Amino acid sequence: MASNKPRTASFSRNFSSPAPQIPGLKHGPNGTTFLSSGIPDLDKILGGGFVLGSLVMVMEDPEAPHHMLLLRNFMSQGLVHHQPLIYASPAKDPRGFLGTLPNPVGPKEDKSRVHETEQEKLRIAWQYKKYSGEHNSDSRRDEKSEFCSDFDLRKPLERHFFSGQLIDCVTLNDSADLASFHQRCSAFLSQTPR
């Protein structure tokens, strides 16, 4: 005889009220939380950014160092939003890599970029502008700046983004095994707020 109990899935998501907005994170569909990659166009391709809690592997291409661009933007994005950062590298001085992180585009530079795009848009007939949805571009720009910054690769990240931050840089050359690195990561995570 079959019972009339409803079947439940082995896992289900908690759809309680959304958590308070954390800088650099945004809520997506089905309770998904996205973390910005630091590159707005890549966030669009990924469907909103990296899924928080996921494991992302970036394959290195020795002939095209795009992985370093992604790493620099991702690290800068985290520091701009006051997130803790641990960086491990086989380099002798991994802290030197922090000097290569790009600076976010400031409001002054953003206005010049907007002015250039406005000049390009003037070439388009005004009838087309009316139907292209340009009237909502300001609200989209404000939403994007809260989640993902635009970075100027020519300027290093300003020092004030480093002050008061929880940052640790680890060289992997000093340890024969990964046990000391694991302990250092555990100590770092114990300092981070939950």
Side-chain angles (χ1 to χ4, degrees):
M1 178 173 274
S3 66
N4 292 338
K5 290 194 317 186
R7 290 178 43 176
T8 59
S10 61
F11 103 96
S12 61
R13 285 203 168 139
N14 182 5
F15 290 106
S16 60
S17 63
Q21 185 65 23
I22 299 172
L25 299 179
K26 74 176 178 181
H27 299 288
N30 300 326
T32 307
T33 302
F34 291 106
L35 175 69
S36 175
S37 67
I39 302 172
D41 290 335
L42 180 59
D43 288 344
K44 287 179 190 172
I45 291 169
L46 295 173
F50 297 128
V51 176
L52 187 64
S54 64
L55 179 64
V56 178
M57 183 172 101
V58 177
M59 298 286 292
E60 181 177 337
D61 183 0
E63 295 180 18
H66 300 301
H67 63 282
M68 296 306 291
L69 173 69
L70 175 60
L71 179 63
R72 285 183 175 104
N73 279 23
F74 184 69
M75 289 172 67
S76 289
Q77 183 67 34
L79 290 174
V80 164
H81 289 296
H82 308 290
Q83 299 295 330
L85 171 69
I86 185 166
Y87 174 63
S89 170
K92 289 182 182 180
D93 180 27
R95 193 162 285 279
F97 184 74
L98 297 180
T100 66
L101 300 182
N103 197 49
V105 175
K108 180 193 236 182
E109 296 161 315
D110 197 25
K111 286 179 185 175
S112 67
R113 186 180 281 182
V114 170
H115 181 66
E116 289 172 6
T117 58
E118 285 300 320
Q119 287 179 346
E120 291 174 18
K121 291 176 187 176
L122 288 177
R123 294 182 200 149
I124 302 171
W126 65 271
Q127 292 91 353
Y128 179 74
K129 269 177 98 172
K130 184 170 46 173
Y131 297 110
S132 67
E134 305 260 337
H135 55 282
N136 292 331
S137 63
D138 291 335
S139 63
R140 276 187 248 128
R141 190 178 310 124
D142 292 340
E143 177 185 316
K144 184 189 78 164
S145 66
E146 291 175 9
F147 175 64
C148 182
S149 303
D150 287 325
F151 292 98
D152 185 353
L153 301 175
R154 299 168 295 168
K155 296 180 183 177
L157 192 62
E158 295 174 0
R159 291 289 163 211
H160 71 87
F161 289 112
F162 295 103
S163 62
Q165 295 274 48
L166 182 58
I167 300 172
D168 193 12
C169 294
V170 182
T171 180
L172 298 175
N173 286 343
D174 295 341
S175 58
D177 60 0
L178 292 178
S180 61
F181 174 64
H182 183 268
Q183 290 173 349
R184 189 137 175 204
C185 288
S186 297
F188 179 82
L189 290 174
S190 68
Q191 297 173 1
T192 60
R194 294 280 171 182

PDB file of all heavy atoms in Angstrom, residues 16-28:
ATOM      1  N   SER A  16      14.710  32.151   2.190  1.00  0.00           N
ATOM      2  CA  SER A  16      14.305  33.137   3.187  1.00  0.00           C
ATOM      3  C   SER A  16      14.594  34.532   2.654  1.00  0.00           C
ATOM      4  O   SER A  16      15.089  34.702   1.546  1.00  0.00           O
ATOM      5  CB  SER A  16      15.050  32.897   4.498  1.00  0.00           C
ATOM      6  OG  SER A  16      16.436  33.015   4.273  1.00  0.00           O
ATOM      7  N   SER A  17      14.332  35.521   3.457  1.00  0.00           N
ATOM      8  CA  SER A  17      14.538  36.900   3.014  1.00  0.00           C
ATOM      9  C   SER A  17      15.990  37.092   2.612  1.00  0.00           C
ATOM     10  O   SER A  17      16.895  36.542   3.233  1.00  0.00           O
ATOM     11  CB  SER A  17      14.175  37.868   4.133  1.00  0.00           C
ATOM     12  OG  SER A  17      15.038  37.663   5.232  1.00  0.00           O
ATOM     13  N   PRO A  18      16.239  37.889   1.557  1.00  0.00           N
ATOM     14  CA  PRO A  18      17.593  38.052   1.075  1.00  0.00           C
ATOM     15  C   PRO A  18      18.473  38.718   2.130  1.00  0.00           C
ATOM     16  O   PRO A  18      18.025  39.547   2.901  1.00  0.00           O
ATOM     17  CB  PRO A  18      17.442  38.937  -0.164  1.00  0.00           C
ATOM     18  CG  PRO A  18      16.062  39.449  -0.154  1.00  0.00           C
ATOM     19  CD  PRO A  18      15.263  38.634   0.793  1.00  0.00           C
ATOM     20  N   ALA A  19      19.744  38.304   2.121  1.00  0.00           N
ATOM     21  CA  ALA A  19      20.715  38.877   3.052  1.00  0.00           C
ATOM     22  C   ALA A  19      20.968  40.344   2.687  1.00  0.00           C
ATOM     23  O   ALA A  19      20.708  40.761   1.564  1.00  0.00           O
ATOM     24  CB  ALA A  19      22.009  38.087   2.961  1.00  0.00           C
ATOM     25  N   PRO A  20      21.468  41.120   3.628  1.00  0.00           N
ATOM     26  CA  PRO A  20      21.763  42.503   3.305  1.00  0.00           C
ATOM     27  C   PRO A  20      22.798  42.573   2.173  1.00  0.00           C
ATOM     28  O   PRO A  20      23.622  41.685   2.038  1.00  0.00           O
ATOM     29  CB  PRO A  20      22.325  43.078   4.602  1.00  0.00           C
ATOM     30  CG  PRO A  20      22.609  41.921   5.484  1.00  0.00           C
ATOM     31  CD  PRO A  20      21.810  40.768   4.984  1.00  0.00           C
ATOM     32  N   GLN A  21      22.710  43.609   1.383  1.00  0.00           N
ATOM     33  CA  GLN A  21      23.582  43.749   0.224  1.00  0.00           C
ATOM     34  C   GLN A  21      25.027  43.938   0.677  1.00  0.00           C
ATOM     35  O   GLN A  21      25.345  44.845   1.407  1.00  0.00           O
ATOM     36  CB  GLN A  21      23.134  44.941  -0.644  1.00  0.00           C
ATOM     37  CG  GLN A  21      23.906  45.082  -1.925  1.00  0.00           C
ATOM     38  CD  GLN A  21      23.695  43.921  -2.878  1.00  0.00           C
ATOM     39  OE1 GLN A  21      22.706  43.218  -2.817  1.00  0.00           O
ATOM     40  NE2 GLN A  21      24.645  43.698  -3.762  1.00  0.00           N
ATOM     41  N   ILE A  22      25.893  43.042   0.243  1.00  0.00           N
ATOM     42  CA  ILE A  22      27.317  43.116   0.537  1.00  0.00           C
ATOM     43  C   ILE A  22      27.996  43.680  -0.703  1.00  0.00           C
ATOM     44  O   ILE A  22      27.711  43.240  -1.811  1.00  0.00           O
ATOM     45  CB  ILE A  22      27.873  41.712   0.872  1.00  0.00           C
ATOM     46  CG1 ILE A  22      27.155  41.155   2.100  1.00  0.00           C
ATOM     47  CG2 ILE A  22      29.376  41.762   1.095  1.00  0.00           C
ATOM     48  CD1 ILE A  22      27.479  39.708   2.392  1.00  0.00           C
ATOM     49  N   PRO A  23      28.901  44.662  -0.537  1.00  0.00           N
ATOM     50  CA  PRO A  23      29.562  45.255  -1.713  1.00  0.00           C
ATOM     51  C   PRO A  23      30.275  44.190  -2.545  1.00  0.00           C
ATOM     52  O   PRO A  23      30.950  43.323  -2.009  1.00  0.00           O
ATOM     53  CB  PRO A  23      30.561  46.229  -1.099  1.00  0.00           C
ATOM     54  CG  PRO A  23      30.065  46.500   0.266  1.00  0.00           C
ATOM     55  CD  PRO A  23      29.341  45.264   0.704  1.00  0.00           C
ATOM     56  N   GLY A  24      30.092  44.267  -3.854  1.00  0.00           N
ATOM     57  CA  GLY A  24      30.721  43.325  -4.762  1.00  0.00           C
ATOM     58  C   GLY A  24      29.916  42.073  -5.005  1.00  0.00           C
ATOM     59  O   GLY A  24      30.302  41.232  -5.805  1.00  0.00           O
ATOM     60  N   LEU A  25      28.784  41.917  -4.308  1.00  0.00           N
ATOM     61  CA  LEU A  25      27.914  40.762  -4.503  1.00  0.00           C
ATOM     62  C   LEU A  25      26.555  41.230  -4.976  1.00  0.00           C
ATOM     63  O   LEU A  25      26.121  42.332  -4.636  1.00  0.00           O
ATOM     64  CB  LEU A  25      27.733  39.988  -3.190  1.00  0.00           C
ATOM     65  CG  LEU A  25      28.964  39.385  -2.534  1.00  0.00           C
ATOM     66  CD1 LEU A  25      28.567  38.698  -1.245  1.00  0.00           C
ATOM     67  CD2 LEU A  25      29.674  38.425  -3.456  1.00  0.00           C
ATOM     68  N   LYS A  26      25.886  40.390  -5.748  1.00  0.00           N
ATOM     69  CA  LYS A  26      24.503  40.694  -6.105  1.00  0.00           C
ATOM     70  C   LYS A  26      23.714  39.399  -6.124  1.00  0.00           C
ATOM     71  O   LYS A  26      24.251  38.324  -6.360  1.00  0.00           O
ATOM     72  CB  LYS A  26      24.408  41.433  -7.436  1.00  0.00           C
ATOM     73  CG  LYS A  26      24.641  40.604  -8.663  1.00  0.00           C
ATOM     74  CD  LYS A  26      24.410  41.426  -9.915  1.00  0.00           C
ATOM     75  CE  LYS A  26      24.684  40.605 -11.151  1.00  0.00           C
ATOM     76  NZ  LYS A  26      24.499  41.350 -12.369  1.00  0.00           N
ATOM     77  N   HIS A  27      22.442  39.533  -5.836  1.00  0.00           N
ATOM     78  CA  HIS A  27      21.556  38.380  -5.784  1.00  0.00           C
ATOM     79  C   HIS A  27      20.987  38.116  -7.163  1.00  0.00           C
ATOM     80  O   HIS A  27      20.578  39.028  -7.870  1.00  0.00           O
ATOM     81  CB  HIS A  27      20.433  38.616  -4.777  1.00  0.00           C
ATOM     82  CG  HIS A  27      20.948  38.833  -3.386  1.00  0.00           C
ATOM     83  ND1 HIS A  27      21.490  37.826  -2.628  1.00  0.00           N
ATOM     84  CD2 HIS A  27      21.038  39.947  -2.641  1.00  0.00           C
ATOM     85  CE1 HIS A  27      21.875  38.318  -1.474  1.00  0.00           C
ATOM     86  NE2 HIS A  27      21.616  39.602  -1.448  1.00  0.00           N
ATOM     87  N   GLY A  28      20.966  36.845  -7.533  1.00  0.00           N
ATOM     88  CA  GLY A  28      20.434  36.444  -8.819  1.00  0.00           C
ATOM     89  C   GLY A  28      19.210  35.577  -8.642  1.00  0.00           C
ATOM     90  O   GLY A  28      18.653  35.478  -7.542  1.00  0.00           O
TER      91      GLY A  28
END
